[in-house]
Amino acid sequence: MPILEVRNLTLGLKEKRLSLVEDINFSLKKGEVLGILGESGCGKSLTGFALIKLFPPGIIPYEGDVFFKGISLFSLSEKELLKIRGSKISIILQDPLSSLNPVLPIGEQIEEVLKYHTELSREERKKKIIELLREVGIPDPELRLKNYPHELSGGLRQRAMIAMALAGEPEVLIADEPTTALDLTLQAQIIRLLVKLKKEKKLSIIFITHDLGIARWITDRIAVFYAGEIVELAPAEELFSTPLHPYTISLFNSYPRENQELKISDTRPLNLFYKTQGCRYYQRCEIRCGEGKKEKPPLIQKYPGHWVRCYI
Amino acid sequence: MLHLKPPFVIEAKGVWKKYKARVSFFKSKSFFALVDVSLKLKKGEVIGILGESGCGKTTLGKILLNLEKPEKGEVLWFGKSLSELSKKDYKRFRTKIQVVFQDPYNSLNPRYKIKDVLLEPYLINIKKNRKEGLKKAEELLFKLGLEEDVLEKYPFALSGGQRQRIALARALMISPEVIVLDEPTSALDMSVQAQILSLLKKLKEELNLSYVLITHSLPVARFLSDWIVVMYLGRIVEVCKREIFSTVPHHPYTEMLTLSQPDPFSKKPLPEGIYGEPVTPVVRPSGCEFHLRCEKKEKMCTREVPPLVQVKNGQWISCFKFLT
């Protein structure tokens, strides 16, 4: 059984029938990293937060459900959800400076998680915090836990954030662009840390990113998002060697390579208020098949495990 | 770059820049953000300055634009020091160098219509003639692939890619020779980045422009530049011609950057043995600044700063490993 399963997830505005994320289906196995790849505004973060039943103001789920080990998360009460959020499923965000509490030392922030989700005594908690900080590669954890977020460098802050996410011993980690704010050499270190956690703890990770290279390093499977839909879902290696959807192909072609002209694609953002019957990518598509104009293509399995939403 | 014969459009010669950082409520400490930086830019060339945050790449851009004055060293404009230019020549220099910033959301005045954004530098520097200015603006918009109707819009009505093109058009309004591009695409989506990059390449060839490209992305630097300059803690550690970049051995820091740069289209493994992060220039390490993170360091590296020497045709490295 998959550890996390998303079925027909559709999110949209509360006041007006307008779906921002439509008909998302995927599942996550134990110890697997699923990448969600897409450009800004494609609904990748929205989907990430929806996995733990968190929605930005004004946005509600229209349809669908998320199952964690077979339990429907959307039908749980807020109280029951709190037991899962932060412990069984936890999240790390892009910018650790604005997501850590600036007036509490990092040790206390991690302790808070332990207080809620475990029965440990004060002494045991302290031991556990030091152990966690060591695990994520923070040097001198005994001293560091007294530091405030602003006293740490960007890399250490992100590590502290990961330590906090790990405190509840999660089985699923949602990582929303965890390395975008970091320098190149730090990015590589954080990715290596996440790969280590995946291997040693059999942690399942939903990895949200817009960076093709990072996705290749860490993910096992990738879901490509466009305008709130999955347009392609495939094993990572296969996606990079044989992309099928025109959007995926145009995304790959826009990666700058030496001595090679860039292929420019139409980048006009899609107006979601303008309801189309057909394929959402139709306006920007190079091929523009006749069927795509009339009707939305379904997500079909082209090769084993390789799904694509396109008639071609 | 270092060996080239003049004339150079712009040249930095042994530039040192000092800043003050507050270390406590009462005390501040001065430190060097740039240490003995020299570079030369020829007409029609692109220098890509590569480095992590805090390495002084933006400071160097500001020095070249004369927005900051160096403590030591000088900036030369066609071989003439900026401090020695006459008032008239200085005004000419001002119109010949322009800048495009990273964030197109903050670098355009939100209360100006696009036409006023574009006209302002023209009216001040070239000619007090709105009609001719508008004509020029329209020409530029066409060249940059924008519709004419954006002229009557305000910045908020444009997308990030459109705004970045407006910022570029504004820089081009007064026909500069050099444009300092400070992370021109890092706030943009992949497909928009591709548009801006190929536009920059096209404009460079059509108008014979020179760019100083400040970036932290190796693929971007390799796509656009003729020269790649790698900086670490305010010092240039390597200068390398782009053509030979992929084939020659590099400074250990450049090596580290190359390894950390993921490449979606190769089976490049996740690197081992990368550790540490750039330390702050406020407490500058002794000797070679990189020795704290360097795997190949020797005793000498902790004591002395290695000079930047030519190791090959088209490559300069500041590392003792390459001296012997």
Side-chain angles (χ1 to χ4, degrees):
Chain A
M1 189 169 63
I3 194 155
L4 195 74
E5 198 176 357
V6 181
R7 268 189 228 151
N8 308 331
L9 181 69
T10 303
L11 307 169
L13 296 185
K14 198 173 179 180
E15 282 156 11
K16 195 170 156 189
R17 179 85 196 179
L18 178 71
S19 53
L20 301 173
V21 167
E22 204 165 83
D23 200 18
I24 303 292
N25 285 290
F26 60 78
S27 61
L28 183 68
K29 289 195 272 294
K30 196 163 176 61
E32 186 188 37
V33 181
L34 177 79
I36 295 185
L37 188 72
E39 295 185 293
S40 42
C42 71
K44 53 189 195 300
S45 295
L46 211 57
T47 309
F49 281 101
L51 298 181
I52 42 175
K53 209 184 169 190
L54 288 175
F55 311 106
I59 288 177
I60 52 160
Y62 290 162
E63 221 185 295
D65 205 340
V66 178
F67 296 91
F68 173 70
K69 288 185 167 173
I71 311 163
S72 153
L73 292 185
F74 282 20
S75 44
L76 288 183
S77 70
E78 201 58 21
K79 213 173 160 188
E80 289 166 312
L81 262 173
L82 283 181
K83 284 194 193 125
I84 290 180
R85 255 188 226 147
S87 97
K88 296 278 170 269
I89 307 178
S90 58
I91 192 161
I92 50 176
L93 303 166
Q94 174 176 358
D95 180 5
L97 192 57
S98 52
S99 38
L100 290 171
N101 188 339
V103 295
L104 285 183
I106 54 162
E108 270 184 47
Q109 297 190 45
I110 298 171
E111 194 174 0
E112 204 174 351
V113 181
L114 294 174
K115 259 189 211 164
Y116 271 109
H117 294 297
T118 62
E119 309 274 299
L120 298 176
S121 71
R122 209 195 161 112
E123 286 305 302
E124 287 168 327
R125 285 205 295 263
K126 193 170 174 193
K127 246 167 93 187
K128 175 87 185 168
I129 295 167
I130 292 173
E131 197 182 297
L132 280 166
L133 290 179
R134 189 166 287 132
E135 188 172 359
V136 296
I138 294 183
D140 311 320
E142 294 86 352
L143 301 169
R144 287 298 183 184
L145 60 89
K146 294 192 187 95
N147 280 149
Y148 289 89
H150 76 267
E151 292 173 312
L152 300 175
S153 64
L156 288 186
R157 245 180 255 145
Q158 194 58 286
R159 285 175 199 268
M161 179 113 168
I162 295 174
M164 207 161 114
L166 293 179
E169 310 214 320
E171 294 179 51
V172 179
L173 182 70
I174 300 164
D176 189 0
E177 308 238 12
T179 59
T180 316
L182 299 177
D183 272 322
L184 216 51
T185 52
L186 290 174
Q187 173 171 284
Q189 294 172 44
I190 296 289
I191 297 296
R192 209 174 55 203
L193 171 63
L194 289 176
V195 169
K196 189 187 102 183
L197 292 172
K198 172 202 152 184
K199 278 190 191 140
E200 286 174 5
K201 300 199 148 190
K202 284 271 171 200
L203 192 63
S204 312
I205 304 175
I206 300 273
F207 195 88
I208 302 171
T209 183
H210 66 268
D211 189 309
L212 301 176
I214 293 293
R216 171 132 201 189
W217 265 348
I218 190 168
T219 57
D220 300 313
R221 282 191 305 148
I222 297 179
V224 182
F225 269 54
Y226 178 75
E229 287 178 336
I230 294 182
V231 292
E232 192 163 355
L233 176 68
E237 290 296 313
E238 199 177 317
L239 186 79
F240 283 110
S241 58
T242 46
L244 294 175
H245 196 277
Y247 175 65
T248 317
I249 295 169
S250 91
L251 205 59
F252 288 178
N253 281 338
S254 61
Y255 189 83
R257 270 170 277 197
E258 216 175 337
N259 301 325
Q260 206 172 315
E261 288 303 312
L262 281 169
K263 271 207 192 130
I264 312 289
S265 53
D266 186 354
T267 58
R268 276 173 303 167
L270 181 71
N271 186 355
L272 282 174
F273 285 95
Y274 175 76
K275 265 268 174 203
T276 50
Q277 298 273 302
C279 173
R280 288 197 171 184
Y281 190 61
Y282 186 77
Q283 284 173 38
R284 279 172 62 170
C285 188
E286 278 183 359
I287 303 156
R288 295 201 174 180
C289 59
E291 294 103 309
K293 193 174 181 181
K294 282 177 245 131
E295 215 176 329
K296 199 167 98 172
L299 196 64
I300 51 160
Q301 188 159 206
K302 182 89 185 171
Y303 304 112
H306 194 151
W307 299 73
V308 64
R309 190 187 290 280
C310 184
Y311 287 114
I312 299 153
Chain B
M1 189 173 78
L2 296 171
H3 68 294
L4 298 171
K5 300 248 162 13
F8 303 108
V9 187
I10 199 160
E11 182 180 348
K13 224 174 174 180
V15 166
W16 296 67
K17 177 69 198 166
K18 198 152 79 178
Y19 280 122
K20 268 190 183 144
R22 187 111 144 232
V23 282
S24 73
F25 192 73
F26 298 106
K27 251 172 49 193
S28 61
K29 192 173 172 248
S30 57
F31 66 94
F32 281 105
L34 288 181
V35 177
D36 200 13
V37 170
S38 302
L39 51 85
K40 295 171 179 178
L41 181 59
K42 251 193 159 178
K43 193 142 181 70
E45 265 192 352
V46 180
I47 293 186
I49 300 176
L50 198 67
E52 292 178 284
S53 38
C55 74
K57 52 192 197 298
T58 299
T59 308
L60 181 58
K62 283 183 182 162
I63 297 258
L64 293 176
L65 287 160
N66 206 28
L67 297 175
E68 295 273 9
K69 298 243 175 338
E71 258 66 41
K72 240 198 282 179
E74 57 185 353
V75 176
L76 306 175
W77 178 254
F78 284 106
K80 254 187 171 171
S81 170
L82 285 188
S83 53
E84 286 162 17
L85 288 181
S86 67
K87 219 172 169 185
K88 204 176 135 206
D89 281 346
Y90 182 73
K91 214 179 159 197
R92 235 181 68 81
F93 156 75
R94 267 268 151 266
T95 66
K96 291 296 172 198
I97 184 159
Q98 282 291 309
V99 61
V100 173
F101 295 104
Q102 170 176 0
D103 184 357
Y105 294 86
N106 291 325
S107 54
L108 300 177
N109 189 333
R111 289 162 182 271
Y112 274 30
K113 281 187 179 172
I114 297 303
K115 76 176 173 199
D116 298 317
V117 169
L118 295 179
L119 273 177
E120 194 182 26
Y122 187 85
L123 297 180
I124 291 171
N125 289 303
I126 307 286
K127 222 180 193 179
K128 281 217 161 36
N129 186 330
R130 283 185 74 89
K131 219 172 158 190
E132 280 178 38
L134 274 178
K135 215 180 125 201
K136 170 123 194 176
E138 278 165 20
E139 277 171 28
L140 277 174
L141 290 185
F142 177 74
K143 207 173 241 161
L144 301 186
L146 289 164
E147 305 284 332
E148 253 172 52
D149 59 359
V150 300
L151 281 174
E152 295 297 327
K153 287 184 181 160
Y154 286 95
F156 71 82
L158 304 180
S159 70
Q162 282 174 321
R163 281 183 223 212
Q164 199 58 307
R165 275 183 279 177
I166 293 296
L168 194 57
R170 174 176 63 182
L172 292 171
M173 275 302 282
I174 57 174
S175 319
E177 292 178 37
V178 180
I179 303 183
V180 176
L181 304 163
D182 192 351
E183 307 258 10
T185 59
S186 50
L188 306 174
D189 266 328
M190 277 285 291
S191 53
V192 185
Q193 164 173 296
Q195 265 182 349
I196 299 287
L197 285 180
S198 55
L199 190 63
L200 284 169
K201 205 171 195 175
K202 190 186 100 186
L203 287 171
K204 184 200 106 175
E205 270 140 37
E206 276 175 23
L207 305 171
N208 198 19
L209 292 167
S210 314
Y211 296 142
V212 177
L213 171 73
I214 297 166
T215 182
H216 63 263
S217 158
L218 192 55
V220 169
R222 287 175 67 170
F223 179 75
L224 211 56
S225 328
D226 301 301
W227 293 93
I228 291 172
V229 173
V230 183
M231 287 182 76
Y232 188 75
L233 278 199
R235 212 158 54 78
I236 293 181
V237 295
E238 180 170 350
V239 176
C240 185
K241 221 176 163 73
R242 200 250 306 145
E243 285 97 328
I244 58 169
F245 192 86
S246 54
T247 53
V248 293
H250 291 286
H251 188 279
Y253 179 58
T254 317
E255 214 64 76
M256 193 187 247
L257 281 183
T258 335
L259 280 176
S260 315
Q261 177 71 52
D263 180 356
F265 303 106
S266 75
K267 285 214 158 74
K268 190 167 157 180
L270 190 58
E272 300 288 322
I274 284 183
Y275 51 88
E277 37 191 304
V279 290
T280 140
V282 179
V283 206
R284 187 169 281 281
S286 65
C288 172
E289 288 85 353
F290 189 62
H291 80 256
L292 297 172
R293 298 171 74 189
C294 187
E295 278 189 328
K296 298 168 187 156
K297 68 163 178 249
E298 282 168 28
K299 260 188 190 156
M300 183 152 57
C301 305
T302 58
R303 275 181 278 128
E304 270 173 77
V305 179
L308 187 67
V309 288
Q310 180 158 19
V311 292
K312 226 178 236 92
N313 194 5
Q315 194 188 25
W316 287 257
I317 288 182
S318 154
C319 179
F320 288 118
K321 280 271 161 210
F322 288 83
L323 273 180
T324 43

